[in-house]
Amino acid sequence: MKFIEIPVLPIVVPLGIVTFLVLIRVLRSRGRVTFARASVAGALAIYAGGVLANTVFPIFLRIGTGFYDGPRPLPLYLVPFVDYGLEDALINIVVFIPLGGLIPLLSTRPRWWNVLAIVAGASLAIELAQMAIARLAMGGHLADINDWMTNVLGGMIGYGLFSLLTRSSRIATFFDRFRWPPRQRPAHVEAGARSTTRSTATPSRSRMT
C-alpha cells in the first residue's frame, strides 16, 4: 500500500478563477462594474483559494492493498475548550477576520446578523469538508467545534473593525467606491410597483347621481 498526495494548485487555482467569474457575473447583474468593485471579487476569490488550501489540504489517497487497521473513528471533535491550544485559536481567529471585513462590501446596508450567518456557514462548510475528507481519504485535518467558534469570532471581529473604521466619514466615502450596489428588481416587477404606487396616490372620483 502507498499513499499519493493530491496536488493543491490544480484544484485551488481553477476554483479561485470560477469563484471570481461568478462574483463578477453577480456584480454585473447589480449594476456597473468598476475596478474597485471588481477588486473585491478578486480579493474574495484569492481569499477563498487560500483558505481552502490551508484548511482542507493536504489530502492523501490510498493506493493498493495492505494491512487492515480497523474502522477509523469519526473525525469530529465536539468538546469545546478542551485540549485546544491558544496558538490554534489565534490562527483561526486571524484567518477569518478578512472575511468579516469583505462581506459588508457586498451590500449597501450590511447587518451584523447577515455577516454572522455567512461567516458561520462558511466555517461550517469547511469543517464538514474536513470531516468528509478525513473519513473518505487521508486528510490532515479533523472537524472541531473549537475551530468553528473561533472562526465565527474572527469574522465578527473583522466586521466590528469595519464598522469602527466606517464611522469616519472620510473612510466611509473611500469604502463606498468598493461597495457593491443593491440587487436590481426585474423590469416587470419595477413597473408593477410604480403602477401600484401611482394608483394608490391618485384619489378616486366619486360618481354623482
Side-chain angles (χ1 to χ4, degrees):
M1 177 186 297
K2 63 179 181 179
F3 298 94
I4 297 179
E5 183 177 358
I6 297 178
V8 179
L9 292 181
I11 296 177
V12 172
V13 173
L15 178 64
I17 294 174
V18 171
T19 301
F20 176 74
L21 294 177
V22 170
L23 289 173
I24 290 296
R25 184 177 179 85
V26 172
L27 178 58
R28 289 185 61 186
S29 68
R30 292 191 180 187
R32 188 165 61 92
V33 178
T34 63
F35 178 80
R37 293 169 178 172
S39 66
V40 177
L44 281 168
I46 295 173
Y47 175 82
V51 169
L52 178 68
N54 287 278
T55 57
V56 176
F57 290 86
I59 302 174
F60 297 91
L61 296 178
R62 290 184 178 185
I63 304 297
T65 59
F67 65 93
Y68 177 71
D69 54 2
R72 286 177 290 169
L74 185 66
L76 177 63
Y77 195 78
L78 294 176
V79 182
F81 310 118
V82 176
D83 296 331
Y84 195 67
L86 177 61
E87 181 179 356
D88 292 335
L90 291 177
I91 290 175
N92 283 287
I93 290 173
V94 171
V95 165
F96 264 64
I97 287 178
L99 182 61
L102 287 171
I103 292 174
L105 296 177
L106 304 179
S107 174
T108 54
R109 294 181 179 179
R111 296 291 185 265
W112 68 267
W113 55 84
N114 293 332
V115 178
L116 177 63
I118 295 174
V119 170
S123 179
L124 179 61
I126 292 173
E127 298 303 317
L128 293 177
Q130 290 176 343
M131 182 176 66
I133 291 172
R135 186 70 174 177
L136 301 176
M138 295 292 292
H141 305 272
L142 56 84
D144 191 338
I145 191 173
N146 296 286
D147 292 342
W148 180 79
M149 291 189 297
T150 50
N151 287 160
V152 173
L153 176 60
M156 297 313 295
I157 290 176
Y159 174 71
L161 293 174
F162 179 88
S163 300
L164 288 176
L165 288 174
T166 51
R167 286 187 176 182
S168 169
S169 58
R170 181 176 299 179
I171 297 178
T173 301
F174 173 77
F175 276 121
D176 285 341
R177 299 167 53 193
F178 299 86
R179 198 185 296 275
W180 288 19
R183 293 184 178 89
Q184 296 181 350
R185 292 189 295 180
H188 66 279
V189 176
E190 186 71 23
R194 290 179 180 176
S195 62
T196 302
T197 304
R198 192 177 297 115
S199 62
T200 303
T202 304
S204 59
R205 297 180 179 178
S206 60
R207 190 175 178 182
M208 299 181 63
T209 58

